[in-house]
Amino acid sequence: MTRAPRRRHPFAGVAVLLVGLVATGTAFAAVNAGTSAQASGAVASQTQVEAGRQLYVEGCASCHGIAGEGTEEYPSLIGTGAAAVDFQMQTGKMPATSPGVQVIGKPRNYSDDEIAAIAAYVASLGAGPAIPTAAELDFAGADLSEGGTLFRTNCMQCHNFAGKGGALSDGAFAPSLMDVDSKIIWEAMLTGPQNMPIFSNETLPPESKQAILKWIDHLQNDKDPGGLALGSMGPVSEGVFVWIVGLGLVLAVTVWIGAKVR
Amino acid sequence: MSLTTKVGGATIDYVDKRTGILGPAKANFRKLFPDHWSFMLGEIVLYSFIVLLLTGTYLTFFFKPSMAEVVYNGSYVPLKGIEMSEAYASTLHISFDVRGGLLIRQIHHWAALFFVAAMIVHMFRVFFTGAFRRPRELNWVVGGIMLMIGLLEGFAGYSLPDDLLSGVGVRIVSGIVEAIPIVGTYLMFFIWGGEFPGTDFIPRLFIVHVLLFPAILLALVGVHLVLIFYLKHTQYPGRGRTEDNVVGYPLFPIYTAKAGGFFFIVFGLITLVSAVVTINPVWAYGPYVPDQVTADSQPDWYIGFLDGMLRAFPNWEWILFGHTWSWNVFIPGLVMPGILFTALALYPFFESWITGDKREHHILDRPRNAPVRTGIGVMAITFFGIATINGANDLLAVGFHLSINQITWFTRIGLFVAPPLAFVATHRLCIGLQRRDRDKLLHGRETGRILRLPHGEFIEVHEPITDTEKAVILSHPQRRPLPMPAKTDENGVRTPRYRWRWIQAKLSSFWYRDSVETPSAAEIEAAEEHMRHGIGSEHEHRGDFEISHHEIGESETVEALTSRSEED
Ligand code: HEM
């Protein structure tokens, strides 16, 4: 696998241009005019950004500010990048509804196209981590056991050894990784949502991320060699099992023999 | 049955004729044991212990207790090429490359969890029935030591594979050792042979796990069984059962056959579970690396209460005289378990001190007839339960969407509040049951049949209870609390150890408080007379029970303890 240092996002050019324009306080209409002379593909992105902006204003601006600048309570989105938006919206966390210890994912109300549009718009506000490409997410060549070591070093203290999730303090928790796809995992590492640390491409290079993807894929799909895994929650589920099923079985037989052999 | 008896007799005969050594033992083989399913609990413990010895021996053939670093190159692909200790590598080797290794490992571990669970159930059977009373106090103490060593033995086994989970456990234990005031750090360096984790601990722990503790346990099991044999087994109250006899089957062949079969049932069920359900998947945890830890790091269930107390304890730490005093670890990690186990072992002596009851008991108590003891038992279970639950606080938090901090506070309060509540509720329940017993004696049992009398009144038909039921209820001797000591005797001399005896008498009156008076023989007679004539309705006498010996027929079943002791 070749190194893929922060590939340029297709919209990157537009984004940089738009940042400049927003920064100078030019009206958005002017942006339209200023870029109208570009190639047709870019024009498509241009309309996408505009569509994204509208969706943003309807769904997100109440919290994150009219131009993503954030409000007193809510974070600014300038510079969070497309990956953060894609992660938050694909997992149904944004737009957030109930305030609580932790924003929880809900069934999402936005289509893939709409999410892409909002992502493009947010990316246009300031450069940030981009949505990973298919090539980045291809972990076929990665080293499985290295992925295991990386997972145990970086992820397991919160997400449990089998990726089943775990508790953090004050009611926060790291969710199970059993149903997330590679793109979401990558974006989570890049953007570090809520209590999760950011694993940027500097601290955790893309090939390490690929190894982790491979390990999580192994956790999701390979059967436990020892038999039923009882939810892979460690000794607690084993203890519950031995009392209820193990001792239960033997006591039932004991009472039965006691009643029978007379 | 009679065939088994014959074959058994013939076997004894055969061996006896050839060796002669069985001559004196012959009487012992005919020794009677009472029959009740709850008396098989001790057997279950024994059998799971044997399973542990058998499977553990197999594991020692392949396990390498060494901290030497190796690169894993076995057949489990997800760990290939990883650096690890030989201990961990050999555990993986047993799991994936030794014939039957994984199954044996799983049997060994499931049997360990099962062993302790069965031991605790057995202990509570002994506790709630008062089987620990004189002359069996010593056997209770032996049991208590076995329980403690059983826990330590289990923990030692859990720590051997040097996987991530066991390493975290060992780290906590080293922390507990370090928390011992003043000498902790030296002690920890001594035990671990230097800094944690070092290379000495696993080989040392191995000897403790496969030699030291099993040898002690085996010796104590021997003492335990010999004591049961000499002191005879207790029996539940019933008609024909007295403090001086034993009603049951002979040890040989009935019990031996039953026991042999039962061993295979226990072994079989543990094997079944082990073949289907994985336990301690060490391959999933990875090797122990001191800076790694996984969510849901937990000890095996029987250490959970210690972990739970540790997790609940406030973070108290002093720095005094150049030493760190880690009360936050020392108290829940060593002081509290020390107190709990001492209290457990000394309980029989405490109880007889309170009740002033120094007589021998061979008929078991019904839990309701010792409300304070039963209450204490339920209180202990409650305490143990809450502490254990807190040991799993992180899983509960995720499973029930709670906050770990809330659970910690719930535990801190619950550990003090819930056990007394459980005590009061249990005590009440016992007293209620005692009242019901008295009612049954005096008014018979409610049958649920409603009768309309000629003048229109409805009554529920009461039936006299059976003789067995009566014998069971009346088995409990009415006892009285110790008298309050007088402060001074008639000459005005202060009573020696007055305070002490005052406490004893106070506790004693608490012990018997609210106990329901057993009706006198005359009262019962009168009540029965009344029942016979009160209602002119038919009443079928349900005295159709038989003591088991009527069915065995040819073998003796009732023996006098006094005569037995002469032979012994
Ligand atoms: C290695 C663990 C143990 C083994 C193998 C074991 C085995 C047995 C067996 C086979 C019996 C006779 C059957 C029965 O009453 O259930 C028995 C009785 C007894 N056990 Fe244990 N036991 C163990 C642990 C304990 C513990 C932890 C205690 C209490 C702290 C205890 C206290 C007693 C007492 C007092 C009796 C006499 C009961 C009576 O005569 O009614 N034992 N044990």
Side-chain angles (χ1 to χ4, degrees):
Chain A
M1 196 93 262
T2 52
R3 241 183 107 90
R6 300 180 128 232
R7 276 161 197 260
R8 277 181 119 211
H9 193 270
F11 309 136
V14 186
V16 170
L17 181 61
L18 285 169
V19 171
L21 290 171
V22 169
T24 51
T26 317
F28 204 77
V31 182
N32 265 332
T35 51
S36 56
Q38 289 195 342
S40 59
V43 173
S45 333
Q46 176 51 53
T47 41
Q48 192 185 26
V49 168
E50 173 53 21
R53 192 190 68 86
Q54 269 164 22
L55 287 165
Y56 174 87
V57 171
E58 285 161 24
C60 326
S62 56
C63 295
H64 292 291
I66 195 72
E69 73 281 8
T71 51
E72 239 167 61
E73 285 164 78
Y74 299 105
S76 153
L77 297 187
I78 297 172
T80 52
V85 175
D86 194 51
F87 172 82
Q88 299 285 351
M89 297 195 69
Q90 293 285 357
T91 56
K93 286 173 191 128
M94 289 296 143
T97 44
S98 56
V101 192
Q102 183 166 326
V103 180
I104 312 275
K106 299 168 293 295
R108 58 196 175 96
N109 294 330
Y110 289 80
S111 69
D112 284 348
D113 283 345
E114 289 169 327
I115 294 176
I118 299 178
Y121 166 68
V122 171
S124 76
L125 299 176
I131 297 169
T133 63
E136 280 177 308
L137 296 179
D138 179 11
F139 56 76
D143 184 345
L144 179 64
S145 53
E146 191 205 329
T149 305
L150 287 166
F151 186 85
R152 287 190 290 273
T153 316
N154 297 301
C155 319
M156 160 163 95
Q157 67 269 42
C158 299
H159 288 283
N160 148 309
F161 63 93
K164 302 284 178 185
L168 306 179
S169 54
D170 291 316
F173 65 98
S176 160
L177 304 179
M178 288 300 103
D179 298 318
V180 285
D181 64 26
S182 297
K183 188 173 71 139
I184 297 297
I185 300 170
W186 189 284
E187 289 169 350
M189 291 190 279
L190 267 188
T191 64
Q194 301 187 76
N195 285 317
M196 178 163 156
I198 295 176
F199 298 91
S200 71
N201 281 344
E202 283 72 49
T203 54
L204 193 71
E207 56 269 33
S208 298
K209 289 198 169 70
Q210 283 157 359
I212 288 180
L213 292 186
K214 187 157 187 159
W215 184 260
I216 296 177
D217 179 68
H218 153 71
L219 294 179
Q220 289 172 342
N221 298 313
D222 291 351
K223 271 178 54 185
D224 190 287
L228 303 177
L230 300 179
S232 294
M233 289 185 298
V236 171
S237 46
E238 294 161 5
V240 172
F241 187 88
V242 85
W243 273 93
I244 294 176
V245 181
L247 210 62
L249 265 179
V250 173
L251 287 187
V253 171
T254 310
V255 175
W256 177 71
I257 293 181
K260 206 88 185 164
V261 187
R262 285 228 161 212
Chain B
M1 274 302 166
S2 70
L3 180 69
T4 348
T5 319
K6 248 177 240 156
V7 173
T11 318
I12 296 187
D13 229 42
Y14 180 90
V15 180
D16 189 28
K17 281 204 178 107
R18 264 134 271 251
T19 61
I21 44 163
L22 281 176
K26 200 165 171 178
N28 284 337
F29 279 117
R30 312 267 336 144
K31 204 174 176 88
L32 294 181
F33 269 75
D35 202 26
H36 189 269
W37 70 265
S38 72
F39 298 159
M40 286 160 98
L41 292 170
E43 271 180 67
I44 297 180
V45 186
L46 184 62
Y47 300 149
S48 44
F49 184 56
I50 295 173
V51 172
L52 283 169
L53 293 177
L54 293 176
T55 50
T57 306
Y58 188 73
L59 295 178
T60 55
F61 296 156
F62 307 101
F63 181 75
K64 297 201 184 78
S66 151
M67 292 292 273
E69 283 289 313
V70 294
V71 172
Y72 180 68
N73 207 12
S75 58
Y76 188 62
V77 178
L79 290 174
K80 259 209 161 92
I82 301 237
E83 273 205 12
M84 56 183 67
S85 66
E86 246 188 314
Y88 184 56
S90 65
T91 312
L92 294 175
H93 177 71
I94 293 170
S95 304
F96 299 112
D97 300 300
V98 170
R99 197 166 294 278
L102 182 55
L103 180 65
I104 299 289
R105 256 198 68 229
Q106 301 204 142
I107 295 178
H108 192 69
H109 205 133
W110 277 122
L113 297 200
F114 184 85
F115 171 67
V116 186
M119 191 154 37
I120 287 178
V121 175
H122 166 59
M123 180 183 80
F124 277 109
R125 180 313 260 166
V126 169
F127 183 81
F128 284 124
T129 58
F132 55 80
R133 288 171 300 170
R134 208 179 148 202
R136 295 179 183 76
E137 313 99 309
L138 198 63
N139 222 9
W140 170 269
V141 176
V142 169
I145 300 174
M146 286 196 291
L147 178 64
M148 199 173 69
I149 295 187
L151 298 190
L152 294 174
E153 170 72 352
F155 185 79
Y158 162 99
S159 304
L160 279 179
D162 198 34
D163 59 304
L164 187 64
L165 200 58
S166 67
V168 170
V170 173
R171 182 75 190 105
I172 293 174
V173 170
S174 81
I176 292 175
V177 174
E178 281 178 305
I180 300 173
I182 311 201
V183 294
T185 314
Y186 307 102
L187 210 56
M188 184 253 156
F189 267 65
F190 179 67
I191 296 174
W192 267 262
E195 292 270 3
F196 181 89
T199 53
D200 289 351
F201 187 68
I202 295 284
R204 289 178 183 175
L205 196 66
F206 181 69
I207 294 302
V208 169
H209 180 75
V210 305
L211 188 72
L212 187 63
F213 283 162
I216 299 177
L217 269 179
L218 211 55
L220 290 177
V221 168
V223 172
H224 199 64
L225 297 181
V226 165
L227 278 176
I228 291 162
F229 207 76
Y230 274 98
L231 300 173
K232 320 243 169 356
H233 204 286
T234 53
Q235 57 187 343
Y236 282 100
R239 208 177 67 163
R241 298 175 182 189
T242 70
E243 288 285 6
D244 319 298
N245 71 9
V246 178
V247 179
Y249 299 112
L251 178 64
F252 193 89
I254 309 270
Y255 265 103
T256 346
K258 240 173 114 167
F262 198 44
F263 169 67
F264 287 106
I265 290 174
V266 172
F267 201 167
L269 287 175
I270 294 178
T271 307
L272 179 71
V273 166
S274 311
V276 178
V277 190
T278 193
I279 184 164
N280 197 21
V282 285
W283 52 87
Y285 300 127
Y288 181 56
V289 180
D291 62 2
Q292 290 177 5
V293 67
T294 169
D296 309 336
S297 285
Q298 246 90 17
D300 276 348
W301 76 264
Y302 45 84
I303 304 290
F305 77 107
L306 290 174
D307 197 14
M309 294 196 297
L310 193 63
R311 289 178 191 215
F313 209 80
N315 193 16
W316 295 341
E317 216 169 65
W318 298 348
I319 298 182
L320 257 193
F321 313 121
H323 287 281
T324 307
W325 304 70
S326 302
W327 304 119
N328 48 1
V329 178
F330 181 59
I331 294 178
L334 276 174
V335 176
M336 279 161 64
I339 293 174
L340 290 178
F341 274 101
T342 311
L344 175 82
L346 297 185
Y347 180 81
F349 309 101
F350 176 66
E351 185 183 306
S352 81
W353 180 67
I354 293 181
T355 56
D357 182 358
K358 310 273 187 246
R359 294 167 313 157
E360 291 211 347
H361 292 277
H362 303 288
I363 296 280
L364 293 171
D365 259 344
R366 296 197 307 152
R368 69 187 61 175
N369 287 332
V372 172
R373 178 203 298 144
T374 307
I376 291 176
V378 175
M379 191 159 101
I381 294 175
T382 312
F383 182 89
F384 187 80
I386 293 179
T388 304
I389 287 173
N390 192 52
N393 58 4
D394 44 347
L395 281 159
L396 285 180
V398 173
F400 298 99
H401 299 289
L402 299 167
S403 140
I404 288 197
N405 312 54
Q406 287 166 3
I407 299 177
T408 302
W409 275 106
F410 170 82
T411 306
R412 285 175 182 170
I413 297 168
L415 279 180
F416 289 96
V417 174
L421 289 180
F423 177 88
V424 171
T426 311
H427 193 274
R428 288 258 171 95
L429 185 71
C430 288
I431 299 292
L433 287 170
Q434 285 186 13
R435 292 215 177 95
R436 213 172 74 182
D437 281 350
R438 190 185 151 92
D439 271 3
K440 274 191 188 170
L441 279 180
L442 295 182
H443 309 296
R445 172 164 30 84
E446 294 166 2
T447 57
R449 272 182 293 143
I450 306 291
L451 211 66
R452 187 168 175 221
L453 298 181
H455 55 276
E457 185 193 342
F458 287 95
I459 56 161
E460 184 174 6
V461 179
H462 282 239
E463 255 176 14
I465 52 175
T466 65
D467 290 353
T468 319
E469 264 181 287
K470 207 161 108 184
V472 168
I473 296 176
L474 287 175
S475 72
H476 184 63
Q478 188 76 41
R479 314 220 57 234
R480 302 262 172 259
L482 297 171
M484 271 315 218
K487 210 162 192 150
T488 54
D489 63 13
E490 61 274 18
N491 302 324
V493 179
R494 210 184 136 83
T495 317
R497 304 203 303 146
Y498 169 75
R499 273 272 112 191
W500 194 238
R501 289 177 53 197
W502 183 84
I503 295 173
Q504 187 184 12
K506 272 281 173 211
L507 287 172
S508 192
S509 67
F510 178 68
W511 182 273
Y512 291 107
R513 210 179 65 174
D514 297 340
S515 273
V516 175
E517 201 73 18
T518 315
S520 68
E523 276 178 284
I524 297 172
E525 188 55 41
E528 279 175 355
E529 195 61 23
H530 175 75
M531 266 188 278
R532 264 195 288 280
H533 302 295
I535 314 151
S537 67
E538 92 292 8
H539 82 264
E540 63 264 22
H541 183 65
R542 291 178 77 265
D544 53 346
F545 78 98
E546 263 178 305
I547 300 184
S548 49
H549 64 263
H550 294 164
E551 284 160 42
I552 309 176
E554 66 248 82
S555 67
E556 66 196 310
T557 49
V558 180
E559 58 178 332
L561 274 178
T562 40
S563 68
R564 295 290 315 175
S565 8
E566 283 153 28
E567 301 165 19
D568 291 340

